Amino acid sequence: NKYYVLSVGIEKNGVPLVTISGNDRPICYRLPDEYYDWAMTVVGMANAGADFFPEDVIFSLVDGRYCVDIL
């Protein structure tokens, strides 16, 4: 699934979140827990000055593994 991701974050209780552009307005979704490490990495990089978003992102499940491709 391809989405235009505006931002990625982590809730206080450790839930990974993604905000996408949907129907001309931002929509925040909870990501599966399997995306936690990816979300933490992205947030950490953004805090260090390397912000990747907004950008198109493909979320997929391949052979039981959750994958993310930033385009």
Side-chain angles (χ1 to χ4, degrees):
N1 298 327
K2 182 178 171 182
Y3 300 97
Y4 188 66
V5 173
L6 303 174
S7 66
V8 175
I10 303 288
E11 274 189 336
K12 290 180 183 179
N13 60 356
V15 174
L17 303 171
V18 64
T19 301
I20 67 167
S21 178
N23 298 326
D24 298 322
R25 62 185 175 93
I27 302 170
C28 185
Y29 289 102
R30 176 184 176 155
L31 290 173
D33 292 337
E34 290 81 2
Y35 286 113
Y36 174 80
D37 289 338
W38 173 77
M40 280 299 291
T41 300
V42 169
V43 169
M45 293 179 81
N47 288 336
D51 194 5
F52 298 107
F53 303 104
E55 190 61 72
D56 285 327
V57 176
I58 296 176
F59 294 93
S60 55
L61 180 61
V62 179
D63 295 329
R65 285 189 39 210
Y66 288 84
C67 302
V68 180
D69 292 304
I70 300 173
L71 305 177

